[in-house]
Amino acid sequence: MFSKFALEVKAGQTVVLEKFSNVYTSRDRKLEGYTHHQMQAYALKALQEDEAAGFDTLLAESATCWKEKVWDRVPITIDGPEFDQLAIRFAQYHMQLMTPAHDNRMNIGAKGLSGEGYKGHTFWDTEIFLLPYFIFNMPEVARSLEEYRYLSLPGAHAKAKYNGYEGAQFPWESAWLDDGEVTPEYMGTDIVTGQLIKVWSGFIEIHITADVAYGAWQYYMCTGDQDFMDKYGYELMLDCAKFWSSRLEPGEDGKLHINDVVGPDEYKEHVDDNAFTNYLVWWTLDKAIEYSTQVEEEKPELYSKLDEKLGLSALREKWTEQVNLIFLTQPNGNGVLPQDSTYLMLQDIDLSKYKKQAHVGGIYKDYNQEQITKIQVSKQADVMVLFLLLEELFPHQVKLSSWDYYEPRCLHDSSLSLSTHSVLACDIGDPELGYEMFQKACLIDLDNANPHSSDAGIHAASYGGLWQCVVWGFGGLRMLGGKLRISPNLPVAWRKLSYTLLWKGQKLNVTVTPRMVQINSEKQEAPIRLEVWGKEYDFQEELIVVKN
Ligand code: IFM
């Protein structure tokens, strides 16, 4: 719809044009049952009210709302280069704006609300990159995102059934609740064959089903929201385990394998035993055994409901037989954890041209996907994400050797990659390397030298990643096996960092300087146990730890 305005202005005269607009859709809960005309009337009335209030009033109201809901509620202050502060605020701005916190039938699109890339679909980006920000700062929003997954179970059941499996197999790309899998089947043209490229993720990038289970658990561990678990969480996690149990394949070695998958590193298609996938599947089954036993003992009514829905008793027996047979790859002689059964044996080529590339995806100009799959080159963090999620399973030396092995082979062609590498660099004791990665991650959408990188929309998950760099990497925050740890690692460019977090409903203010961490609890509630720089503490009001 076009509007034309004509007016005469004198040279030097200022003209101010105020435009009021609003958007309503038939999916808005408050417009349910409205006819098209009723919706139009509703929207028009709202516009007239806005116009009557005037631009300045609306601007002031908006600023107050942002201040109360975001800047005062989740204050993050970096005493260091101004750009770093700007970048984290830009990340918070987008995370707030793009998250449909008002409606649990919706989730976050991979491009937020800023562009049409990925058609607004939701990926693992939510659970692994964005959810932690909300869990630690706005748990009610995190719960809504989790409820979306629960409400999407019918689509996940349909996908599992279609593929000949049981339980819930979550779609790689997800949209409206009952849509099920919405990943496009083909995209782009193969430079070698000239044919359309098949998008295998929708068929075999199956780790999403473990990521969903992990997200629910992380939410529960940090918030202690038992109501969520009773209504949704247990069922969600157990249904995921049910799928995995039916997906495991017995091998000739007596182990259970997961063959023909795409792991997080999408440059490797049709691989067997992707480490990230297998370890998280093992973790999901382990948790399912623990929770189904616990629910049976402590909540018999809930247990019989879940048993009726999922067939829990027989399942637990199967899970117990399976869990220790799952093939879990072990570090090689150099301490490197193999990403899958073939990666370390693939051809090594000189990647310097692509490591220096100005635009992502340069390797596709020289090789097609089939060829890339045969080269030791990664699109994004894979084993590194595993180290982040199940940190306590892997020794320091394995993380170090694996970082040194995989990072030079990783092109960071996905915007999800740099932040994980940054956090891991801090974990292996190199915050300067972490800072270098963080600085690059800040530029993903903010780089003036690369103005078209966001044409299809901003890179939503990278904003959760930036928060992880600042608060998890440099700020040292982590939930590990249900326990809180705050072991900061400031880069030299930062003199001080402060942030807040919610731990089981208690608000904590954290201030970090290079050699000190101070943690204050806003209300003196239950004592909190946490680990700081390798030592355990219990505190109620204030804890100050100085580094030796
Ligand atoms: O989920 C990601 C994936 O890991 C890499 N390609 C883009 C997707 C959406 O952000």
Side-chain angles (χ1 to χ4, degrees):
M1 198 163 66
F2 292 98
S3 304
K4 274 191 177 177
F5 303 95
L7 72 164
E8 280 189 15
V9 284
K10 293 194 185 104
Q13 189 185 340
T14 304
V15 175
V16 177
L17 202 68
E18 286 182 358
K19 179 177 174 181
F20 297 85
S21 59
N22 58 22
V23 179
Y24 292 95
T25 82
S26 54
R27 278 185 173 162
D28 291 357
R29 286 202 195 272
K30 60 182 169 191
L31 302 190
E32 258 163 28
Y34 275 43
T35 63
H36 191 69
H37 287 296
Q38 284 168 328
M39 278 174 62
Q40 269 184 337
Y42 186 94
L44 192 63
K45 186 165 171 279
L47 268 187
Q48 283 159 348
E49 282 166 13
D50 287 346
E51 194 189 10
F55 178 79
D56 291 338
T57 306
L58 296 180
L59 179 65
E61 276 173 15
S62 166
T64 307
C65 188
W66 275 96
K67 184 171 167 350
E68 284 169 4
K69 285 198 168 161
V70 186
W71 312 126
D72 287 353
R73 191 171 173 199
V74 193
I76 301 175
T77 312
I78 296 169
D79 184 359
E82 211 183 331
F83 183 74
D84 298 351
Q85 179 72 64
L86 174 91
I88 189 65
R89 283 215 158 198
F90 187 65
Q92 286 182 271
Y93 166 78
H94 273 291
M95 284 195 280
Q96 187 68 29
L97 197 71
M98 69 191 173
T99 303
H102 63 292
D103 194 333
N104 63 2
R105 299 168 304 165
M106 299 174 189
N107 207 287
I108 308 172
K111 298 289 183 187
L113 289 176
S114 65
E116 292 175 12
Y118 294 122
K119 301 186 164 97
H121 294 169
T122 294
F123 294 67
W124 73 315
D125 305 28
T126 292
E127 273 73 16
I128 306 303
F129 295 87
L130 292 153
L131 190 67
Y133 172 76
F134 293 107
I135 289 177
F136 281 107
N137 298 296
M138 300 178 186
E140 73 288 358
V141 178
R143 177 165 169 157
S144 177
L145 295 170
E146 281 298 319
E147 286 178 9
Y148 167 86
R149 291 297 192 187
Y150 180 84
L151 297 173
S152 310
L153 274 172
H157 289 147
K159 179 166 177 176
K161 198 166 172 208
Y162 181 79
N163 290 326
Y165 302 115
E166 292 174 11
Q169 180 180 14
F170 276 90
W172 174 245
E173 294 187 27
S174 180
W176 194 243
L177 295 177
D178 50 11
D179 284 350
E181 184 59 74
V182 290
T183 308
E185 278 190 42
Y186 293 93
M187 207 164 29
T189 310
D190 187 307
I191 57 151
V192 174
T193 64
Q195 305 288 311
L196 283 174
I197 301 172
K198 182 141 179 155
V199 184
W200 281 103
S201 299
F203 300 93
I204 55 174
E205 191 156 357
I206 56 177
H207 63 82
I208 177 76
T209 296
D211 309 332
V212 167
Y214 188 91
W217 174 76
Q218 194 177 33
Y219 170 77
Y220 177 42
M221 287 295 108
C222 299
T223 61
D225 185 348
Q226 192 58 49
D227 178 67
F228 165 78
M229 284 309 275
D230 292 349
K231 287 190 180 129
Y232 314 111
Y234 290 126
E235 185 178 336
L236 192 59
M237 292 179 71
L238 296 169
D239 221 349
C240 291
K242 186 171 177 174
F243 162 69
W244 286 120
S245 175
S246 69
R247 175 63 177 78
L248 290 164
E249 299 159 63
E252 285 175 3
D253 56 358
K255 293 276 181 193
L256 294 169
H257 296 264
I258 306 174
N259 298 325
D260 195 20
V261 300
V262 176
D265 173 10
E266 295 177 341
Y267 280 173
K268 296 286 153 284
E269 290 181 342
H270 304 292
V271 294
D272 296 340
D273 292 321
N274 167 256
F276 177 89
T277 309
N278 285 27
Y279 271 92
L280 277 171
V281 171
W282 167 81
W283 176 91
T284 308
L285 255 54
D286 191 55
K287 277 280 159 275
I289 296 168
E290 179 190 329
Y291 284 158
S292 58
T293 312
Q294 198 179 309
V295 173
E296 184 173 23
E297 283 166 10
E298 295 168 13
K299 297 171 185 275
E301 253 179 57
L302 178 60
Y303 185 82
S304 25
K305 207 176 101 197
L306 293 173
D307 192 22
E308 204 174 303
K309 266 190 166 173
L310 305 170
L312 270 192
S313 312
L315 269 180
R316 191 164 68 229
E317 219 170 283
K318 196 168 163 209
W319 293 336
T320 313
E321 280 164 22
Q322 289 177 318
V323 71
N324 293 322
L325 292 177
I326 297 177
F327 178 81
L328 297 178
T329 188
Q330 296 302 314
N332 70 6
N334 297 322
V336 176
L337 192 77
Q339 183 174 300
D340 54 52
S341 65
T342 47
Y343 191 103
L344 300 183
M345 292 172 279
L346 300 176
Q347 189 193 0
D348 241 338
I349 64 162
D350 178 8
L351 293 170
S352 45
K353 173 178 165 192
Y354 311 112
K355 287 293 274 183
K356 284 187 268 174
Q357 68 194 358
H359 303 284
V360 296
I363 195 164
Y364 274 118
K365 293 199 176 116
D366 299 330
Y367 300 94
N368 71 2
Q369 179 68 45
E370 206 184 324
Q371 293 163 328
I372 292 173
T373 289
K374 295 182 183 139
I375 301 169
Q376 292 199 41
V377 61
S378 299
K379 177 178 181 183
Q380 63 200 99
D382 188 302
V383 164
M384 296 301 136
V385 194
L386 170 62
F387 292 161
L388 191 58
L389 302 191
L390 300 181
E391 176 180 332
E392 63 277 38
L393 293 185
F394 302 96
H396 180 82
Q397 192 54 46
V398 171
K399 289 180 201 154
L400 201 64
S401 309
S402 303
W403 207 102
D404 288 346
Y405 191 86
Y406 290 111
E407 199 288 325
R409 292 168 172 81
C410 179
L411 303 183
H412 304 295
D413 277 350
S414 158
S415 62
L416 280 61
S417 189
L418 287 161
S419 61
T420 311
H421 279 87
S422 168
V423 178
L424 252 293
C426 292
D427 285 3
I428 58 175
D430 196 341
E432 296 320 310
L433 188 56
Y435 187 61
E436 217 178 275
M437 296 275 154
F438 164 73
Q439 284 182 303
K440 287 186 193 160
C442 290
L443 292 177
I444 289 172
D445 288 315
L446 285 174
D447 189 2
N448 287 335
N450 212 345
H452 295 294
S453 67
S454 318
D455 283 1
I458 53 91
H459 299 78
S462 77
Y463 296 118
L466 283 186
W467 177 83
Q468 290 183 17
C469 293
V470 172
V471 174
W472 282 7
F474 308 125
L477 170 68
R478 216 63 60 80
M479 182 280 288
L480 281 181
K483 292 188 185 156
L484 180 64
R485 188 188 73 193
I486 301 184
S487 296
N489 286 286
L490 283 200
V492 287
W494 293 5
R495 290 170 290 277
K496 198 155 111 182
L497 163 71
S498 26
Y499 63 89
T500 57
L501 68 116
L502 280 160
W503 180 252
K504 314 236 189 239
Q506 250 174 278
K507 181 136 187 211
L508 304 183
N509 297 314
V510 182
T511 304
V512 182
T513 61
R515 301 181 45 76
M516 191 267 313
V517 54
Q518 177 177 359
I519 306 162
N520 291 87
S521 171
E522 276 194 5
K523 278 194 216 146
Q524 296 167 31
E525 290 169 19
I528 292 183
R529 168 160 293 194
L530 85 170
E531 187 195 307
V532 181
W533 288 319
K535 220 175 140 197
E536 286 226 324
Y537 299 86
D538 286 301
F539 87 105
Q540 214 151 353
E541 261 174 75
E542 183 178 68
L543 176 72
I544 298 179
V545 182
V546 179
K547 213 177 194 174
N548 292 325

